[in-house]
């Protein structure tokens, strides 16, 4: 289980390398990071990138850093709606784009900027199309730093939002799960869109050794 932005950026190359090395097939489930833990609880997946710190029963949890998001817009949209960089007054009337109804990143930015009320909101529930909608001027939204590096967007005023992520996996002895865990933790550490957190420097979670082993 993995959130859309991780799947579209750093996660897929990690599991692809494991699949090639171990000759296995991978069944990926895309879900919001707030809900991927439910896939572990139901037994649908054996590992998940999640925003939940507390281990799901029967699982171990490893912090992998915080995924960073920056408020951004197309230059044309910013010039029309946010000429002063996105003040509270400007943001109160400017349209914005949410990924889906569970996406709270834009709402968090609005709250941090002191915006009351609900500006016009669009929904675009696909990672690539979400960024493309912002590039086309549909509204502003929270994007990854790597997306801003294309030059198609301008960053708005305000602090970035870091979403802590954790890798949770079933607590069982498995060479394959160990390999996936190592690949995911390493890829997250190298990803430009993930900022290190103190907790993420710990050793990746592995099954607890059995008594007497």
């Amino acid at each position: 289980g993995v959130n859309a932005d991780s799947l579209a950026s750093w996660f897929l190359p990690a599991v692809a390398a494991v699949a090639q090395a171990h000759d296995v097939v991978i069944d990926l489930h895309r879900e919001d990071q707030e809900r991927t833990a439910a896939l572990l609880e139901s037994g649908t997946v054996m590992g998940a990138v999640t925003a939940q710190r507390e281990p799901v029963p029967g699982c171990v949890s490893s912090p992998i850093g915080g995924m960073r998001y920056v408020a951004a817009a197309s230059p044309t949209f910013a010039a029309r709606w946010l000429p002063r960089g996105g003040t509270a007054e400007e943001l109160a009337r400017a349209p914005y784009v949410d990924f889906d109804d569970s996406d709270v990143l834009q709402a968090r930015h609005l709250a941090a900027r002191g915006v009351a009320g609900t500006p016009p909101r669009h929904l675009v529930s696909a990672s690539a199309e979400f960024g493309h909608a912002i590039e086309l001027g549909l509204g502003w939204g929270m994007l990854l730093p790597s997306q801003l590096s294309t030059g198609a967007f301008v960053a708005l005023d305000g602090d970035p939002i870091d979403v802590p992520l954790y890798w949770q996996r079933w607590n069982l002895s498995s060479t394959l799960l160990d390999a996936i865990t190592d690949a995911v933790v390493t890829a997250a550490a190298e990803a430009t869109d993930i900022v290190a957190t103190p907790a993420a420097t710990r050793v990746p979670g592995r099954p607890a050794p059995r008594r007497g082993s």
Side-chain angles (χ1 to χ4, degrees):
V2 59
N3 60 304
D5 286 333
S6 291
L7 183 60
S9 54
W10 62 271
F11 186 85
L12 195 55
V15 295
V18 173
Q20 293 171 7
H22 292 265
D23 194 25
V24 295
V25 294
I26 303 293
D27 185 7
L28 288 175
H29 292 251
R30 181 184 64 79
E31 185 56 271
D32 184 82
Q33 64 267 10
E34 301 292 339
R35 300 198 298 262
T36 48
L39 298 176
L40 284 167
E41 291 182 283
S42 66
T44 303
V45 300
M46 300 177 71
V49 175
T50 175
Q52 179 175 313
R53 177 181 180 180
E54 188 68 22
V56 171
C59 295
V60 289
S61 178
S62 306
I64 57 176
M67 199 148 197
R68 173 156 291 183
Y69 293 89
V70 179
S74 71
T76 301
F77 181 91
R80 176 185 175 187
W81 292 96
L82 310 165
R84 291 179 290 167
T87 64
E89 181 181 0
E90 291 173 340
L91 290 170
R93 59 183 179 82
Y96 68 97
V97 185
D98 269 350
F99 185 82
D100 57 24
D101 286 331
S102 65
D103 182 5
V104 298
L105 288 172
Q106 286 68 224
R108 287 178 59 182
H109 181 75
L110 289 170
R113 301 293 289 167
V115 177
T118 306
R121 182 181 74 138
H122 303 287
L123 292 177
V124 180
S125 299
S127 289
E129 288 76 9
F130 178 86
H132 192 43
I134 296 172
E135 182 180 358
L136 292 173
L138 197 62
W140 66 270
M142 305 299 293
L143 296 176
L144 302 172
S146 61
Q147 292 173 293
L148 269 67
S149 67
T150 64
F153 308 99
V154 293
L156 305 178
D157 292 343
D159 294 331
I161 294 176
D162 295 336
V163 179
L165 294 178
Y166 302 84
W167 169 249
Q168 293 206 33
R169 52 163 285 185
W170 288 3
N171 187 14
L172 54 81
S173 179
S174 166
T175 300
L176 179 58
L177 271 179
D178 287 349
I180 294 175
T181 295
D182 290 342
V184 167
V185 172
T186 298
E190 296 173 350
T192 58
D193 294 321
I194 293 185
V195 295
T197 59
T201 61
R202 300 174 189 165
V203 176
R206 294 288 181 85
R210 299 183 181 279
R211 189 181 298 273
S213 61

